[in-house]
Amino acid sequence: MVYSLTYRRPTYVPRADTNRSTSVSDEKDSSDGSIHSGHSSIAGIPEALSFDRVITGGTCPPCTTRDFMNYLIYIEHSAENLQFFLWYRDYAERFAILPAREKALAPEWTISQAEAEVLAAQTHGVGQKKLSPETAAIFKGTDFAPGPKVTVSEHAGNPFNTPPMTPTTEAASLFSSEQGDGKSTLTGSNASHITKAAGAFENADLKWQPFTVQPFREEVSRIIATYIADGAPRELNLSSRERTALLHALENTTHPSAFRNIVSTVEWSLRYQAHPNFIRWTICNGNRPRVIFARGLGVGGIVGGLVAAVLITLSGAGRGWRVLSAIGFVIGIATLVAAWKGMCVVLHGMHHRHLRPWELFAEADDSSSNYELKNPSFDSLGSSNSYEDEPWIAKYEKRNIIRKVFDREVWIQEPALRQIQDTIFIQAIGVSIVISAIVVGIFAALPRGKYY
């Protein structure tokens, strides 16, 4: 079974330029309806390989979530989007099953509030919002009071001042220094994440400190330090306006709705840019040396057919013998067309694909069942996605070109992917037959040379 003969691979979608945020935002807004309705289809991607099927584990290798993650790490270099998206899905599920009394501590961040904060960030900045006189009177003398904060040194000069209850960025070092005496429950790692999160709020000109009684507050602080803060190890590609609005939302609540706008942006990037490129890349069943080798074979077949047609035409053989040159034309053109789309017809004949370089040197016990536990890329709070120090890079560079052309192969398990490749192969055969018929017809119309 194959798809329509007019099938075309998903077109390559370049990464959005941060300087073109307006056009990207317009495209995202026009696509939001299809995202939330669950009917977002992209040309060239069958339903069996849709974004939702890949994310929910409804596909087979090489189109699984693990393969998608590897593609984003090693090819597109934007794995932080998928890592954050997977964390948010899990976080929303865990928040939904909390007891009602804990949910009440983190109220929902409504769309009207989010729009108001975005507007404030565009005009005056979120940190410049004024408090009512009653609220200002309640917060007077605390870290939540408007105006400049009182530092630790200023408190030391006046014994009648009450020290701040919420540790600021400067006071965080005091808590760290007390760890040896057992006076603080903060570990070094926690203090680091809290310091980074506090720095992110300070850079956004936000004066309120997050409420520590809300559920998952520590985890949210780690997410801020990992994905949101400037210079974070997995920093998301967010505009200053988006980052400020998000931090203000997280300043007030840990409800999943606080991430609404950011998750929408990340999901749009994954669904309409990364996923189509991943499917397009997965259709290629050979590595680059093998595809170049296949293109060379295709050109060789075409040249062979052309030479055969010329020699038979110049000889005294009958016109019917010139049809034999069509063999070289059909094989050569079909191989070249398939290779132009990243496929090797020899590998396709067995429904095989080359192992990726990072798969070649994987340990034998890294089965698909425990890979996610061992692979740090599936750790939502892990380090950066740098892979330059991974051992497979040096090993693969040492392999000679012949070994790369004839690298190890594995069977393609995903049926929908095999159907796409079957369709492309039939298209290549059809194109080669049409072109070969035209070329052979031209040679058959020429008179015999009778030179030998």
Side-chain angles (χ1 to χ4, degrees):
M1 179 180 177
V2 297
Y3 296 106
S4 172
L5 294 180
T6 60
Y7 170 84
R8 296 185 61 183
R9 291 185 302 165
T11 57
Y12 177 78
V13 184
R15 296 187 65 177
D17 188 355
T18 54
N19 295 326
R20 298 167 53 197
S21 58
T22 302
S23 61
V24 171
S25 178
D26 293 341
E27 293 177 9
K28 182 175 74 67
D29 293 339
S30 64
S31 304
D32 281 345
S34 60
I35 290 178
H36 297 302
S37 62
H39 298 285
S40 54
S41 59
I42 299 176
I45 302 180
E47 183 62 27
L49 295 178
S50 64
F51 174 77
D52 297 312
R53 291 288 295 272
V54 172
I55 292 299
T56 56
T59 53
C60 301
C63 301
T64 61
T65 308
R66 163 188 173 178
D67 298 304
F68 192 18
M69 182 72 74
N70 287 335
Y71 168 78
L72 293 176
I73 291 177
Y74 300 118
I75 304 299
E76 195 162 290
H77 312 299
S78 59
E80 62 277 357
N81 288 331
L82 181 58
Q83 291 163 337
F84 177 80
F85 183 74
L86 293 177
W87 168 83
Y88 175 79
R89 283 167 55 92
D90 177 70
Y91 179 75
E93 293 176 358
R94 287 185 284 118
F95 192 93
I97 62 177
L98 285 176
R101 64 179 183 277
E102 294 188 26
K103 288 184 181 180
L105 298 174
E108 181 180 1
W109 189 252
T110 62
I111 296 179
S112 59
Q113 287 176 305
E115 292 176 350
E117 293 308 326
V118 171
L119 181 61
Q122 288 179 316
T123 55
H124 305 291
V126 178
Q128 301 298 326
K129 189 168 59 175
K130 294 183 178 180
L131 301 177
S132 63
E134 295 80 4
T135 306
I138 295 175
F139 289 151
K140 184 178 180 181
T142 68
D143 277 0
F144 301 105
K149 297 180 182 179
V150 181
T151 62
V152 177
S153 58
E154 292 173 349
H155 277 288
N158 189 349
F160 299 101
N161 281 337
T162 302
M165 300 299 298
T166 303
T168 62
T169 305
E170 299 174 32
S173 59
L174 299 179
F175 280 81
S176 302
S177 63
E178 296 176 355
Q179 292 178 10
D181 300 331
K183 297 181 181 180
S184 173
T185 58
L186 293 177
T187 63
S189 176
N190 290 344
S192 175
H193 286 291
I194 291 175
T195 302
K196 291 180 181 179
F201 283 102
E202 183 178 352
N203 292 336
D205 198 20
L206 299 175
K207 299 178 181 179
W208 289 2
Q209 293 294 326
F211 297 101
T212 56
V213 296
Q214 293 176 334
F216 302 120
R217 173 53 68 183
E218 181 181 350
E219 181 177 353
V220 169
S221 297
R222 288 176 175 270
I223 290 298
I224 294 173
T226 305
Y227 294 96
I228 309 302
D230 288 330
R234 296 179 180 179
E235 182 179 358
L236 297 175
N237 186 20
L238 304 177
S239 65
S240 176
R241 179 185 63 185
E242 292 174 322
R243 180 179 289 106
T244 301
L246 172 62
L247 289 174
H248 185 77
L250 296 178
E251 182 184 40
N252 292 274
T253 181
T254 57
H255 195 278
S257 59
F259 294 95
R260 182 186 295 110
N261 291 339
I262 303 304
V263 171
S264 177
T265 301
V266 169
E267 182 178 358
W268 185 92
S269 176
L270 289 172
R271 188 181 294 269
Y272 293 102
Q273 187 265 329
H275 176 249
N277 292 345
F278 167 65
I279 299 299
R280 178 185 174 91
W281 174 79
T282 306
I283 293 175
C284 304
N285 59 2
N287 57 24
R288 182 171 178 79
R290 181 60 170 260
V291 171
I292 295 177
F293 179 72
R295 291 177 183 176
L297 290 180
V299 173
I302 296 174
V303 172
L306 184 62
V307 171
V310 172
L311 293 178
I312 296 175
T313 302
L314 295 178
S315 69
R319 296 175 185 270
W321 290 100
R322 301 175 192 179
V323 180
L324 294 176
S325 63
I327 298 176
F329 285 124
V330 170
I331 295 176
I333 295 175
T335 303
L336 185 60
V337 171
W340 196 261
K341 296 185 178 182
M343 282 181 49
C344 172
V345 294
V346 176
L347 291 175
H348 173 71
M350 300 177 289
H351 279 144
H352 282 189
R353 69 174 178 89
H354 271 157
L355 288 174
R356 311 301 181 189
W358 51 87
E359 296 175 325
L360 281 171
F361 305 99
E363 296 181 0
D365 60 346
D366 279 348
S367 59
S368 58
S369 60
N370 62 5
Y371 180 84
E372 295 187 6
L373 299 178
K374 295 184 178 183
N375 193 344
S377 62
F378 283 91
D379 182 7
S380 300
L381 300 174
S383 57
S384 65
N385 295 314
S386 176
Y387 62 90
E388 288 79 4
D389 297 332
E390 294 188 10
W392 66 265
I393 296 180
K395 294 180 181 179
Y396 189 74
E397 290 178 351
K398 293 179 180 179
R399 296 171 76 90
N400 58 61
I401 190 65
I402 303 299
R403 290 194 64 185
K404 291 181 179 180
V405 170
F406 299 99
D407 252 335
R408 289 166 53 194
E409 307 166 9
V410 65
W411 185 61
I412 297 174
Q413 301 180 34
E414 176 55 49
L417 183 59
R418 296 200 302 266
Q419 292 178 16
I420 291 178
Q421 294 175 342
D422 290 340
T423 304
I424 294 177
F425 177 74
I426 292 178
Q427 290 174 340
I429 292 294
V431 171
S432 65
I433 290 176
V434 172
I435 297 178
S436 299
I438 296 174
V439 175
V440 172
I442 294 175
F443 277 101
L446 298 176
R448 288 183 292 180
K450 297 181 181 181
Y451 287 103
Y452 50 89

